[in-house]
Amino acid sequence: MDVAVTRIELPHPVRAAASDGSTVWCAADDGVRVYAPSGRPLEGGTLLSREPPALRSLAAVPGTVPATGAVPGTLAETVVVPRSFAGSPGQTMHRDGPLSGGTLAGAARERVHWLDASGGPVAAAPFEGRVVAGGGAIWAVGDGVARRLTGPGELGEPLELPALDACAVEGERLWWTSKRDDVLRGGPQQVDLGRRRRGAMTVCAGSLWISVAGGLLRVSAWSGEPGRLVRAPEGPVPFLVCANGVLAGGGRDLFVLAPAAGAALRVVRLGLDAPPALMIAAGRHVWVFPEGRPGALIVTPAP
């Protein structure tokens, strides 16, 4: 697997970032700027929103529209429509269904904010926590509770998560672990993970991945059956993301793995002078933001 690493300079350290696969939003102390996943500034590189909420987290999903199946009588397909923020933000198929319009959301000061394409606020709802995206859905996750974002200013029914430790979003499903035990919940069946330290988790290439000492635990996202431990050079690590089917994770350095392609795990030396504070997937790219530094590394795996 070939890997390219590009370093870009940013005006200020980024405190929150998100991508819908075709656009990257970066929130700093002076507002929100937008970039292409490759790092090219969009909208002329100007500051899009000067008065956003004091965002602590950002999450974005592309728009999706149903399309007729290629053969009469077959199931309809779902077509992804990136950068579909021209219409009403947060449109839904039904009140508690998945988001059908491209949506950008952020969490700040005991509220969840629906944002427009410039990062400006559109609507808000009371909630203390952070926003997490995956599988075309955005969830607001707090201390022991989570609620899925539906229409602008609207949250779905609360899901109780006692003593929440970590979670990963897969559309209408929320995988999660508790600090009280070693059980993975939210999938087709509960899974005993064994007594071990755990780090980040994410869904990628049809599996849930959990960083542990010595490697990655893999659980089938379809059946909930656990698989073999995949060895990794670091663990547990604080970051795991999925970039178009390529799993990436790490701390000071990065490792990448393409499960579907059968490519061997590869370690990418980042040479950071500060530990990563944030890591996001942006299409086939992975953005790594060093703590307190006005810049980012863009890692592009090519399986």
Side-chain angles (χ1 to χ4, degrees):
M1 181 192 305
D2 294 328
V3 179
V5 180
T6 304
R7 184 184 296 268
I8 65 171
E9 298 298 323
L10 302 173
H12 299 277
V14 171
R15 63 170 180 241
S19 174
D20 66 351
S22 67
T23 308
V24 176
W25 288 269
C26 295
D29 289 340
D30 65 336
V32 177
R33 287 180 169 84
V34 63
Y35 299 85
S38 62
R40 176 177 56 86
L42 297 178
E43 315 297 343
T46 58
L47 189 67
L48 293 185
S49 179
R50 294 183 179 276
E51 298 183 0
L55 298 171
R56 295 183 300 178
S57 64
L58 274 174
V61 293
T64 59
V65 296
T68 305
V71 179
T74 61
L75 294 175
E77 299 172 300
T78 297
V79 179
V80 175
V81 186
R83 297 207 77 192
S84 60
F85 291 86
S88 300
Q91 295 174 352
T92 57
M93 296 179 182
H94 50 83
R95 179 178 175 84
D96 293 320
L99 298 169
S100 58
T103 303
L104 175 67
R109 294 182 181 176
E110 300 182 351
R111 298 183 76 82
V112 170
H113 297 267
W114 282 252
L115 308 171
D116 61 23
S118 71
V122 172
F127 192 89
E128 174 65 27
R130 58 194 173 96
V131 286
V132 185
I138 300 176
W139 286 70
V141 179
D143 185 12
V145 67
R147 302 181 68 179
R148 191 151 47 87
L149 276 63
T150 55
E154 298 179 350
L155 298 172
E157 292 299 316
L159 173 65
E160 299 296 328
L161 309 173
L164 175 66
D165 181 29
C167 66
V169 172
E170 186 193 7
E172 298 184 19
R173 173 177 291 167
L174 188 73
W175 301 83
W176 63 283
T177 56
S178 172
K179 298 174 184 177
R180 297 176 181 172
D181 55 35
D182 299 297
V183 176
L184 173 68
R185 297 176 174 87
Q189 61 180 340
Q190 293 188 3
V191 179
D192 187 350
L193 301 175
R195 297 180 60 86
R196 62 181 84 196
R197 292 188 302 118
R198 299 184 296 268
M201 66 168 66
T202 194
V203 177
C204 190
S207 296
L208 173 75
W209 303 81
I210 305 173
S211 177
V212 297
L216 299 161
L217 289 180
R218 182 176 187 174
V219 177
S220 169
W222 178 71
S223 67
E225 292 290 335
R228 295 181 179 178
L229 178 73
V230 177
R231 295 293 177 184
E234 292 185 75
V237 297
F239 303 106
L240 280 179
V241 299
C242 184
N244 279 14
V246 175
L247 182 70
R252 181 74 68 167
D253 292 316
L254 194 73
F255 58 78
V256 292
L257 174 68
L265 183 145
R266 177 169 176 177
V267 177
V268 182
R269 305 296 180 188
L270 299 179
L272 296 175
D273 54 1
L278 183 64
M279 183 184 298
I280 67 167
R284 63 191 184 94
H285 308 277
V286 177
W287 285 51
V288 182
F289 299 89
E291 184 175 325
R293 301 292 195 270
L297 289 182
I298 303 175
V299 181
T300 308

